Amino acid sequence: MTGASAPAAVSPGPGGPDGATARRRYVTVSFLFWLPIGMSIATGVLLFTERGMGLAAIAGFYAVHSLTAAAMELPTGGLADVIGRRPVLAIAGLLNLTAFTLIGLGAAGWAIALGMGLMGLARALSSGPAEAWYVDTVHAHAGPDADIRTGLARGSSATAAALALGTLLGGGLPWLLGFAPAVGEWLAGATGGLVIPLSVPALLGALVEGVFVLYVLSALPEPIRPRTTLRRVVGGVPAAIAAGLRLGARDALIRRILLTASAAGAALAAVELLTPGRAAALTGTAESGALIFAGLACAGFLCSALGSQLAPLVARFTGSSERAVLASLGLVTLGLTLLGLTTHTMSPLATTVAVTGYGLVYLGLGAAGPNENDLLHRRVDASGRATALSVQSLSLQLVAAGAGLGAGALPPGPLPWLLAATAVLAGALLWVRRAAPAKTPARPVAEARHPVAAPVPAGPPHDTAPQETHPHVRPT
């Protein structure tokens, strides 16, 4: 979810925290929200496998998450403007708390599917209010020209750090419990088999989500908001969705960006679904496989962060953001191809090549994202950025769901990897030719429903629109 335009401007008021305090709180909120998600990444697929679920069923669980997030991305776009940033974040935290509890304890497919659906809904709710609160607070304290880039960058770094640390914790805990088999047997016996070592990270994540909710309610003050109704926002949903879907139809560059997001979704679906099983097969046990995958996922997030840092350099080296996206997607294609070509062997050389391919996938995605967003924000004005970001996320989630189902249904081997590589290559080829410049920035938001201020010219010195800066990840 990205915050939609409110009927009237709201600011935290002169009594709110100053810019430095707001930045620290925003960084803390970002870290606490993504830490439990990182903890569940290393053990998600392996936990479901241990519960007796097949790869096709696990792909279905991922699809439930992606389709729920995609379906609710645009409809929830204005909720934070109706009831406030803090309540929406708290609701997202409570949904994640419930989701991690169901995933950690659920031995039945319906419980896991319900947990994944709740996590997808939390993802849709949480992808904008924290940044919107930070921007509102800084502007209220220092004016609309205040620099917010530092805070947004630190929030993105906190997210990457939380995911990296979370994957290490999530993968290490079951491995440590494996050194004391009596503990694992006692947990399973005392809970009737509901709690096993692989479910401990998810249950610990639920506790962290409780801390997140308490921190949000106590540390993010908000003013009294203008009177409005939920019915008014719900009534504007069809117009907002239709306006968002018209983005790609009338602008070739935005259409490329949306198709590129779809290609990224196909790549992530293959990596997230197939890599944990390869790690477990390499080590021989699920617990040790979770530890190996945790280290690999941590390295992947660090590669993504490095790619994001290198994005401006790649654009300067290649001559433009468009060429930078082309080069970055080329790295992703190469990484997926290397992963596909090494599926039938576990020799040290093949393992090294596969790990290199995994790193290239995340390095390329990290470098492509900022350059894509640079092009997107130059193409749409301030009134249209929220809808544009929502449609971009929608494209990624929908294709990720379909690609995950396809990868789960295909026989094991190089085919799923190579099909994902083909999808990314097709996305890269879209950037061979430069797009024609737009005459006027696109404005997808329906102003009849939500009056907004006069459009802000594209590319201001300090972009004040909240934007999603999280690394590419579909958390489970």
Side-chain angles (χ1 to χ4, degrees):
M1 184 192 85
T2 51
S5 301
V10 179
S11 65
D18 58 25
T21 302
R23 183 167 59 245
R24 286 194 300 270
R25 295 181 182 181
Y26 170 57
V27 167
T28 303
V29 165
S30 300
F31 184 87
L32 288 176
F33 182 81
W34 287 94
L35 179 63
I37 294 171
M39 293 172 64
S40 68
I41 288 175
T43 56
V45 172
L46 299 175
L47 172 61
F48 301 153
T49 302
E50 196 74 7
R51 298 292 195 191
M53 307 298 168
L55 192 60
I58 296 172
F61 297 148
Y62 275 89
V64 168
H65 171 274
S66 295
L67 293 175
T68 302
M72 300 306 296
E73 185 71 44
L74 289 176
T76 58
L79 190 58
D81 293 320
V82 176
I83 65 175
R85 324 297 194 195
R86 179 171 58 181
V88 170
L89 283 173
I91 292 171
L94 291 174
L95 288 173
N96 266 343
L97 188 156
T98 306
F100 284 125
T101 302
L102 287 170
I103 291 172
L105 299 178
W110 68 266
I112 297 174
L114 177 59
M116 296 292 283
L118 292 177
M119 192 181 295
L121 179 56
R123 172 69 182 269
L125 286 169
S126 66
S127 64
E131 288 184 7
W133 177 87
Y134 169 68
V135 173
D136 290 345
T137 303
V138 172
H139 285 177
H141 187 267
D145 293 328
D147 177 24
I148 61 172
R149 291 187 186 275
T150 301
L152 293 178
R154 291 185 182 179
S156 180
S157 297
T159 296
L163 289 168
L165 177 61
T167 53
L168 289 178
L169 290 175
L173 285 174
W175 179 72
L176 289 174
L177 290 173
F179 282 112
V183 176
E185 294 174 1
W186 176 82
L187 285 174
T191 59
L194 293 179
V195 178
I196 59 177
L198 286 171
S199 64
V200 170
L203 297 177
L204 185 58
L207 294 178
V208 177
E209 287 291 352
V211 175
F212 167 81
V213 172
L214 293 176
Y215 185 82
V216 164
L217 294 176
S218 62
L220 305 187
E222 284 195 300
I224 299 175
R225 309 189 71 81
R227 286 187 173 274
T228 186
T229 63
L230 184 60
R231 181 179 179 182
R232 178 178 180 183
V233 172
V234 172
V237 166
I241 294 176
L245 296 178
R246 285 197 299 268
L247 276 172
R250 67 170 180 246
D251 191 301
L253 180 60
I254 294 178
R255 184 161 58 248
R256 290 186 189 183
I257 293 171
L258 298 181
L259 290 173
T260 302
S262 301
L268 289 169
V271 170
E272 293 172 358
L273 182 67
L274 302 175
T275 306
R278 290 181 66 168
L282 181 66
T283 61
T285 65
E287 288 78 10
S288 58
L291 179 64
I292 294 296
F293 180 65
L296 192 59
C298 178
F301 291 129
L302 293 178
C303 286
S304 178
L306 176 61
S308 297
Q309 293 294 323
L310 295 176
L313 179 62
V314 175
R316 287 194 297 269
F317 180 77
T318 57
S320 68
S321 292
E322 293 179 343
R323 294 292 182 182
V325 174
L326 173 61
S328 301
L329 293 182
L331 280 181
V332 178
T333 303
L334 175 60
L336 290 170
T337 302
L338 293 178
L339 284 164
L341 295 177
T342 55
T343 53
H344 289 315
T345 177
M346 296 182 186
S347 67
L349 177 60
T351 301
T352 302
V353 171
V355 170
T356 302
Y358 186 91
L360 289 177
V361 170
Y362 279 93
L363 183 67
L365 290 175
N371 287 300
E372 292 171 30
N373 285 348
D374 173 68
L375 294 167
L376 179 65
H377 291 305
R378 292 178 184 276
R379 207 68 161 192
V380 297
D381 60 31
S383 67
R385 287 193 176 106
T387 299
L389 290 170
S390 290
V391 175
Q392 186 183 29
S393 177
L394 180 68
S395 301
L396 187 147
Q397 296 288 349
L398 282 176
V399 174
L405 289 173
L410 290 172
L415 184 58
W417 297 103
L418 297 180
L419 287 178
T422 302
V424 176
L425 177 61
L429 293 177
L430 295 172
W431 299 93
V432 172
R433 297 181 59 185
R434 299 191 65 173
K439 295 182 179 179
T440 57
R443 303 183 63 194
V445 174
E447 296 184 9
R449 287 284 184 183
H450 300 292
V452 295
V456 179
H462 300 292
D463 187 1
T464 59
Q467 48 187 282
E468 196 164 332
T469 57
H470 307 311
H472 290 294
V473 63
R474 295 183 308 116
T476 52

